[in-house]
Amino acid sequence: MTEALLELKGLSKAFGALKASDAVDLTLMPGEIHALIGPNGAGKSTLIAQVAGWLHSDAGEVHLLGRNVSHWSVAARAGLGLGRSFQVSSLASEFSALGNVLLALQAREGGAFRFWSPLRGNARLRDEAMAVLARVGLEDRAELPVASLSHGERRLLEVALALAIQPKLLLLDEPMAGLGPEGTRNLTAFLRGLKEEAAILLVEHDMDAVFALADRISVLVYGRVIASGPPEEIRQSAAVREAYLGDSLC
Amino acid sequence: MSTAAIRALPRETLVNAVLALALLAAPLIAQMLDEPFYVSLATRVAILALAGVGLNLALGYGGMVSFGHAAFFGLGGYVAGITALHAFEGSDFMTWPWSVGGSDQLLVVWSVAAVVVALVALAIGAISLRTSGVYFIMITLAFAQMIYYLAISLPTYGGEDGLSIYLRNQLPLGDSNDPLTFFFVCYGLLLAALFLSARLVAAPFGVALQCARMNETRLATSGIAPFPVKLTAFVISAVITGIAGALFADLNGFVGPSMLSWHRSGEIMIFVILGGVGRLFAPLAGAALFILLESLIGGMTDRWQLFLGIMLLAVVLFARGGLIGLLAGKVRHD
Ligand SMILES: Nc1ncnc2c1ncn2[C@@H]1O[C@H](COP(=O)(O)OP(=O)(O)O)[C@@H](O)[C@H]1O
Ligand SMILES: [Mg+2]
């Protein structure tokens, strides 16, 4: 049996009386895209934050590459190979696109405790950063400050940054949001080509993209996984339809 | 360098070079005109700029608005004063478990100041950096006030009256009592600190530090924990300011609680803000402007601080890049 890259065991988080995630069990296998869908406020972003280490869980465990990382810091989990993109872009706003990628590369290159040689002077690292940007088609925008990139370009840069740490798995929180039809199509094709390199836990509202990409879908409602299975099964499930998908998809 | 090569340099580099040369020229000209007061004034600028270079690393690059850097400035000063006192008296600083006496050697004073300030900054930073924003400002202020009151309550070392340094601490080569020689020492240390800052800021460490200022989430997501980066920068920043404090005590031949007071923290912050937050030479531009205002307008009216206030307001409202920003344009980021 292959080992899960990510395994959540009974993960819970409450904000006051609100159970944002409620005893969630979930796995992500190598080479897989596992989509997490659910209505707004279902707790998807909360769950992602628990997995990445931003939120302390009230109960449950996060296992990453077979290790219990429940009490690890965000940086340590990233160091193990967990890449992530945010629902709302989170970039180093005064740096250029290239500067952002260089920063992401430097963790792997020996970390922040190197005090003397300029980061920019490392030609090999720079080439690598340009290659990462080229993967998402941003190589021509490398030197622009991220503040002057378009919304769509910033979304792509987020994906590039997640890739730059050479992740074994990716948490993508609504990567298609605000991309428009063409952007969504392009990113869908790109993610499909990516899954052998890094398994993906994909939170996404665009159902066409989800059904085109996912090997497995879990449906989250009020913090609980109400259904989990292959796309066809989810499409057919009466409970899911009632809770979330609506009649338009039938 | 040819004129063409000079023109190709970024404008900020030229502005920085002019500032550095002006500070070097001022005491030389003063010496020729037999105006020793201006030699000591230029030395003051160099020392206060050095203190600002320290703060700029934390505040300008790291976004850590420390309102307690006088603690480090003053501690550096007290190290100079206390070691000189014991050397002068031939007495011991402590007798148990080892006997530790004083010293009148600048190199020893600086090393001791660096170690003492680093340890204190490590403790203050480790606690303060768990907060942010206004709380960070207040907690650094609180720590500095604690050290201020500690100094006042130590009669051995002068209490409220402070300590006089009867003999300026000595150099291995050259005579530190010669005003111009002492200026060169301070100026050399200022340039060294500026060079160190420039290297740090461009190195992976500095890039991570600046990212911590802009967006800690991004830094952590890249696999770099922000806290150790910020704490290290805070300690380096404090040590630079502490060395400046040791020089200041030797320049004045005196160290007292005023070096530890919150006014001093505010002053060092003013240098950085006037000069342009996060610009390499901001502390030099700011300290020079401050001292010029103080000695020019301060000579005419006691209300020179009013003019300072107006300038500060103008910088904060209209010219975020400060003096360097006005002269050299917007910051260029990679
Ligand atoms: N930091 C927080 N404090 C309080 N409530 C929160 C916090 N973050 C999220 N919530 C609440 O938790 C629920 C789940 O939010 P979220 O995880 O963002 O949902 P989704 O991403 O599925 O739209 C929502 O009701 C939201 O208002
Ligand atoms: Mg969300």
Side-chain angles (χ1 to χ4, degrees):
Chain A
M1 203 190 98
T2 47
E3 197 187 15
L5 291 172
L6 176 69
E7 187 172 6
L8 311 185
K9 297 180 180 172
L11 216 54
S12 299
K13 177 76 196 178
F15 297 112
L18 177 82
K19 287 180 174 170
S21 61
D22 190 1
V24 174
D25 295 318
L26 190 142
T27 59
L28 183 66
M29 306 303 287
E32 175 184 52
I33 295 184
H34 187 157
L36 185 65
I37 64 174
N40 260 329
K44 304 180 295 295
S45 295
T46 301
L47 195 66
I48 296 278
Q50 286 174 273
V51 175
W54 288 105
L55 277 179
H56 279 292
S57 303
D58 299 335
E61 291 177 356
V62 178
H63 290 249
L64 205 58
L65 310 177
R67 300 163 85 160
N68 184 351
V69 299
S70 306
H71 299 288
W72 289 29
S73 71
V74 174
R77 295 184 201 195
L80 205 54
L82 179 69
R84 96 166 269 200
S85 78
F86 293 84
Q87 182 170 357
V88 177
S89 294
S90 184
L91 302 164
S93 53
E94 295 164 36
F95 286 162
S96 64
L98 181 64
N100 272 271
V101 181
L102 283 172
L103 179 87
L105 289 176
Q106 95 176 43
R108 205 165 26 82
E109 282 283 318
F113 286 89
R114 286 166 302 145
F115 298 92
W116 205 246
S117 300
L119 181 61
R120 281 262 163 174
N122 186 335
R124 187 183 50 74
L125 210 61
R126 195 190 162 87
D127 291 345
E128 201 179 322
M130 288 305 291
V132 171
L133 285 173
R135 289 188 72 180
V136 297
L138 284 177
E139 68 275 28
D140 295 334
R141 317 290 278 166
E143 298 289 351
L144 290 178
V146 292
S148 58
L149 298 181
S150 72
H151 173 77
E153 287 169 334
R154 262 178 276 163
R155 303 297 309 170
L156 289 176
L157 181 58
E158 281 252 337
V159 175
L161 292 174
L163 287 177
I165 69 166
Q166 289 191 349
K168 302 204 170 56
L169 66 163
L170 287 168
L171 309 176
L172 304 181
D173 197 352
E174 304 201 20
M176 319 281 180
L179 276 191
E182 199 196 331
T184 301
R185 262 197 310 281
N186 291 342
L187 190 56
T188 303
F190 181 72
L191 293 183
R192 188 180 292 121
L194 204 62
K195 67 177 184 178
E196 291 309 324
E197 181 181 331
I200 299 173
L201 182 63
L202 176 69
V203 173
E204 187 48 61
H205 268 305
D206 185 314
M207 284 307 133
D208 292 336
V210 166
F211 281 100
L213 283 171
D215 302 296
R216 246 188 326 154
I217 298 178
S218 292
V219 183
L220 200 68
V221 177
Y222 294 123
R224 298 193 74 100
V225 177
I226 61 159
S228 185
E232 278 320 303
E233 196 179 303
I234 296 299
R235 207 194 285 271
Q236 242 87 97
S237 156
V240 175
R241 225 180 291 170
E242 189 185 327
Y244 176 49
L245 286 178
D247 287 334
S248 61
L249 272 160
C250 303
Chain B
M1 242 192 296
S2 70
T3 40
I6 289 176
R7 280 216 192 95
L9 287 173
R11 186 139 129 233
E12 186 161 347
T13 310
L14 292 179
V15 170
N16 293 348
V18 169
L19 280 171
L21 288 176
L23 180 59
L24 181 60
L28 293 176
I29 295 169
Q31 183 83 356
M32 281 191 308
L33 301 178
D34 205 18
E35 292 271 13
F37 171 71
Y38 290 98
V39 178
S40 120
L41 205 62
T43 312
R44 243 172 97 87
V45 171
I47 293 172
L48 294 177
L50 180 63
V53 171
L55 180 63
N56 199 23
L57 206 56
L59 190 159
Y61 294 105
M64 295 174 269
V65 185
S66 164
F67 200 8
H69 261 49
F72 310 128
F73 191 71
L75 273 177
Y78 270 95
V79 167
I82 291 172
T83 51
L85 175 77
H86 287 296
F88 184 71
E89 291 181 341
S91 57
D92 279 342
F93 172 69
M94 56 184 207
T95 48
W96 190 90
W98 308 283
S99 149
V100 175
S103 169
D104 62 354
Q105 291 300 310
L106 274 172
L107 295 183
V108 175
V109 169
W110 294 341
S111 313
V112 175
V115 172
V116 169
V117 170
L119 290 176
V120 172
L122 196 63
I124 293 182
I127 297 170
S128 308
L129 284 170
R130 296 184 190 283
T131 67
S132 61
V134 170
Y135 299 101
F136 180 79
I137 299 176
M138 286 299 128
I139 198 168
T140 49
L141 171 64
F143 276 118
Q145 288 302 94
M146 280 165 55
I147 295 177
Y148 174 80
Y149 286 110
L150 181 71
I152 283 188
S153 65
L154 282 181
T156 335
Y157 298 121
E160 277 187 64
D161 300 329
L163 271 179
S164 287
I165 301 176
Y166 297 107
L167 293 172
R168 188 174 278 173
N169 291 306
Q170 296 302 306
L171 289 164
L173 297 169
D175 176 13
S176 64
N177 287 313
D178 173 49
L180 205 55
T181 305
F182 193 67
F183 167 79
F184 286 131
V185 169
C186 298
Y187 185 75
L189 281 175
L190 172 64
L191 290 191
L194 284 167
F195 180 65
L196 176 75
S197 287
R199 294 298 299 211
L200 281 183
V201 166
F205 176 76
V207 173
L209 178 64
Q210 293 176 76
C211 183
R213 179 189 77 225
M214 295 172 209
N215 187 345
E216 282 194 26
T217 303
R218 172 45 58 200
L219 189 61
T221 303
S222 301
I224 298 170
F227 184 78
V229 172
K230 289 167 69 178
L231 184 57
T232 306
F234 188 77
V235 170
I236 298 173
S237 153
V239 167
I240 295 174
T241 301
I243 303 266
L247 292 173
F248 199 69
D250 261 318
L251 172 70
N252 298 330
F254 174 76
V255 51
S258 69
M259 270 184 78
L260 290 160
S261 85
W262 64 272
H263 296 98
R264 185 64 70 179
S265 293
E267 234 173 72
I268 302 174
M269 205 186 279
I270 288 173
F271 305 151
V272 175
I273 295 171
L274 269 186
V277 175
R279 310 296 284 259
L280 188 61
F281 272 62
L284 174 51
L289 184 64
F290 186 95
I291 297 294
L292 279 179
L293 281 178
E294 187 183 41
S295 50
L296 291 182
I297 306 179
M300 289 182 278
T301 157
D302 285 344
R303 303 215 174 78
W304 74 275
Q305 300 244 10
L306 179 66
F307 292 89
L308 181 72
I310 293 170
M311 291 187 75
L312 211 53
L313 212 58
V315 166
V316 172
L317 290 178
F318 307 113
R320 285 291 173 84
L323 207 55
I324 300 280
L326 281 180
L327 297 171
K330 277 187 127 180
V331 71
R332 302 184 343 150
H333 257 299
D334 290 333

